[in-house]
Amino acid sequence: MIKRLSLASRLALLFAACTAMVSLVAGVLFNHASEAHFIELDQQQLDSKLMTLRSTLQGVDSLETFAQREAQLRAELTRQPDLRLRISADGRRWLDDAPSVNLPTAPGLYSLQTADTDYRVYNAPLTPGQPGSPQLSLMLDITHHQHFLQRMQHLIWLTVGLSALATALLGAWAARSGLRPLRRMGEVAAGVSAHSLTQRLPQQHMPMELAELAQAFNAMLGRLDDAFQRLSAFSADIAHELRTPLSNLLTQTQVILTQPRPLEDYREALHSNLEELQWMAQLVNDMLYLAKADHGLLMPKREPLALADEAEALLEFFALLAEDAQVSLVREGSAHTAGDRGMLRRALSNLLDNALRFTPAGGEVRVSLSEHAKGVTLTVANTGDGIPAQLLPKLFNRFYRADPARYEGSSEHAGLGLAITQSIVRAHGGRIFCESEAGLTRFVIELPAGD
């Protein structure tokens, strides 16, 4: 199986490839520019030599007149050892100082290579514009130019290879250094376990991109830690909630069985046990309800609802309880939405029950309804002692009680009401939150507008 390259290795190879490509392109461009420069220099040199030869052979138009100038011409050629000359006219060669190779016949500049020498060939008439004028073929030895270009090409390839190697090594070092925070993240992730969710990544000295990733990673660890803490406390909460009713059942049953008793005593004991069993059944049903909510299985019906009518029905239901507690119930405003009547009534009932339990005598519970463009708002407010700000985020946790001491040994309230209310609101696409200040506490439900 082929081993996958690490990210650092991939970056190093990418740097090396980019550097090699840039160096190669630059070298090729420089090589072409050098060749063009040498061609331009050769052209200038051949033009200069051509002018000298035309001056030497001025007026030559036949082989006889050429013979008179030949000695002068050869003397001129001896002063230019890198130049070879071939003169032709009417298919005859008047002078052939060039190697035995076929030369181009058309006017212009050409390159020619023999076994061991490179030439630049320049064809031009002796007398421009004169028909039948002898043709001059000048051959300039450019072997030293070609050797220079070959050395430069070798240097280009060497530079490309060395620069690619150097960039690969430097790129590997830079990539490894730059990816050190990622390795640190991997170490932290490897150290995360059920018993160690408190580790966090430092964000101060990280690059901007990795700082955002570290922030998201730390937020994820925070959520996992919170979820695990709640999950770890779940068994203890269940045991705590079931301990009292089970203890009552066992104690009453053991006491009633210690000796024969009248039938009425057995009936009373069974009735008391039934109350405890009913509460335990309700607790299990509530937990199953929350489990369905966690898995997205709560599917509320969508029917038009007048929330003012639903609130009035519940206030009428709680009227006697409020009268006994000397608490006044008030409703104001109206709103309409689309939702499940039973579920929303349960949510509002939980809030009203919670408000009545924490409202002192002479206080007030107020249900406020309002409707706006984005949806509706339902608020249940009660007078009384406020809730400390640090406790507000925990109110919707399961089995959470703001004052556990007040309910120790009581099986009437398990601390699931607000959690169920939150699940119902979320199933309807809304949200719920709590605001509290001295003397007033408000639970606010925001729901989308009805169809």
Side-chain angles (χ1 to χ4, degrees):
M1 183 177 179
I2 300 177
K3 185 178 179 180
R4 293 184 179 180
L5 291 176
S6 65
L7 183 58
S9 300
R10 293 182 184 182
L11 289 174
L13 292 177
L14 181 61
F15 292 154
C18 292
T19 302
M21 182 62 65
V22 172
S23 300
L24 182 60
V25 171
V28 169
L29 293 176
F30 182 75
N31 183 58
H32 288 171
S34 300
E35 288 183 354
H37 177 67
F38 283 133
I39 290 175
E40 183 179 356
L41 291 178
D42 294 341
Q43 179 72 62
Q44 294 175 357
Q45 188 174 0
L46 287 170
D47 286 338
S48 175
K49 295 181 183 299
L50 178 61
M51 291 177 61
T52 302
L53 293 176
R54 281 176 174 173
S55 176
T56 303
L57 298 176
Q58 186 175 7
V60 174
D61 56 359
S62 64
L63 185 58
E64 291 75 11
T65 56
F66 173 75
Q68 298 174 3
R69 303 281 183 91
E70 184 175 359
Q72 182 182 355
L73 176 62
R74 289 188 179 278
E76 180 66 28
L77 291 177
T78 57
R79 290 194 293 270
Q80 302 182 28
D82 58 343
L83 182 66
R84 300 289 182 269
L85 179 63
R86 178 180 292 179
I87 303 176
S88 304
D90 298 330
R92 298 173 59 187
R93 292 183 181 179
W94 295 1
L95 178 69
D96 193 357
D97 191 33
S100 300
V101 293
N102 294 325
L103 298 180
T105 57
L109 187 67
Y110 303 94
S111 296
L112 179 65
Q113 185 177 17
T114 62
D116 55 356
T117 309
D118 294 312
Y119 294 98
R120 197 83 71 193
V121 179
Y122 189 35
N123 293 331
L126 177 60
T127 305
Q130 180 179 342
S133 173
Q135 296 295 315
L136 304 180
S137 296
L138 287 74
M139 300 180 63
L140 182 65
D141 187 348
I142 59 170
T143 304
H144 60 290
H145 291 174
Q146 298 303 106
H147 287 172
F148 173 79
L149 291 175
Q150 290 175 1
R151 289 194 300 270
M152 188 176 67
Q153 289 174 354
H154 293 160
L155 181 60
I156 289 173
W157 285 110
L158 180 62
T159 302
V160 169
L162 292 178
S163 61
L165 178 61
T167 306
L169 296 176
L170 293 175
W173 173 80
R176 186 172 181 82
S177 300
L179 295 177
R180 188 176 294 114
L182 285 180
R183 292 195 298 274
R184 172 59 180 158
M185 293 179 70
E187 294 172 359
V188 173
V192 171
S193 66
H195 304 288
S196 177
L197 288 171
T198 58
Q199 297 189 61
R200 297 294 184 270
L201 288 174
Q203 305 176 31
Q204 292 79 9
H205 304 293
M206 284 190 176
M208 182 182 301
E209 298 80 1
L210 293 182
E212 295 178 358
L213 181 60
Q215 183 178 3
F217 188 78
N218 289 340
M220 179 194 70
L221 288 178
R223 292 192 298 269
L224 288 177
D225 188 20
D226 180 66
F228 185 76
Q229 292 296 334
R230 288 189 283 111
L231 183 62
S232 299
F234 185 73
S235 298
D237 291 334
I238 291 294
H240 177 76
E241 295 300 330
L242 294 179
R243 180 185 61 182
T244 299
L246 286 175
S247 178
N248 293 340
L249 288 172
L250 288 172
T251 301
Q252 292 183 20
T253 303
Q254 289 171 352
V255 169
I256 204 69
L257 293 177
T258 54
Q259 60 183 0
R261 298 179 184 277
L263 181 60
E264 187 63 29
D265 291 345
Y266 289 112
R267 188 185 302 275
E268 184 178 351
L270 288 176
H271 182 73
S272 176
N273 289 349
L274 178 61
E275 291 181 352
E276 299 291 349
L277 290 172
Q278 286 176 338
W279 183 88
M280 293 172 62
Q282 181 62 42
L283 176 63
V284 171
N285 289 334
D286 289 343
M287 292 171 57
L288 289 175
Y289 193 89
L290 290 172
K292 290 177 62 178
D294 289 341
H295 290 83
L297 300 179
L298 288 184
M299 304 299 293
K301 297 183 293 184
R302 297 290 179 176
E303 55 180 320
L305 295 177
L307 293 181
D309 296 340
E310 307 303 326
E312 283 293 344
L314 287 174
L315 291 178
E316 183 177 352
F317 176 79
F318 282 98
L320 291 178
L321 182 60
E323 184 177 350
D324 292 340
Q326 300 180 12
V327 174
S328 61
L329 300 177
V330 180
R331 180 194 66 82
E332 60 182 8
S334 62
H336 296 78
T337 189
D340 189 296
R341 174 178 280 104
M343 293 173 66
L344 290 178
R345 278 197 174 190
R346 182 174 185 179
L348 182 55
S349 176
N350 288 339
L351 293 181
L352 288 173
D353 179 66
N354 187 72
L356 285 172
R357 285 189 290 113
F358 288 97
T359 303
E364 178 185 82
V365 175
R366 180 177 296 271
V367 178
S368 302
L369 301 171
S370 62
E371 194 166 359
H372 45 84
K374 295 183 179 180
V376 299
T377 300
L378 187 154
T379 302
V380 177
N382 66 283
T383 57
D385 296 335
I387 302 174
Q390 66 271 18
L391 300 182
L392 293 179
K394 303 178 182 179
L395 291 179
F396 299 96
N397 293 348
R398 299 171 189 182
F399 299 109
Y400 179 77
R401 298 187 179 101
D403 186 7
R406 293 180 60 181
Y407 298 98
E408 184 66 30
S410 171
S411 62
E412 183 180 357
H413 300 284
L416 295 176
L418 291 180
I420 291 175
T421 300
Q422 185 182 56
S423 299
I424 292 174
V425 173
R426 288 179 175 176
H428 283 78
R431 71 180 187 119
I432 181 173
F433 57 92
C434 179
E435 300 173 340
S436 185
E437 56 190 23
L440 184 65
T441 299
R442 292 185 298 271
F443 284 87
V444 182
I445 297 177
E446 294 180 348
L447 295 173
D451 295 337

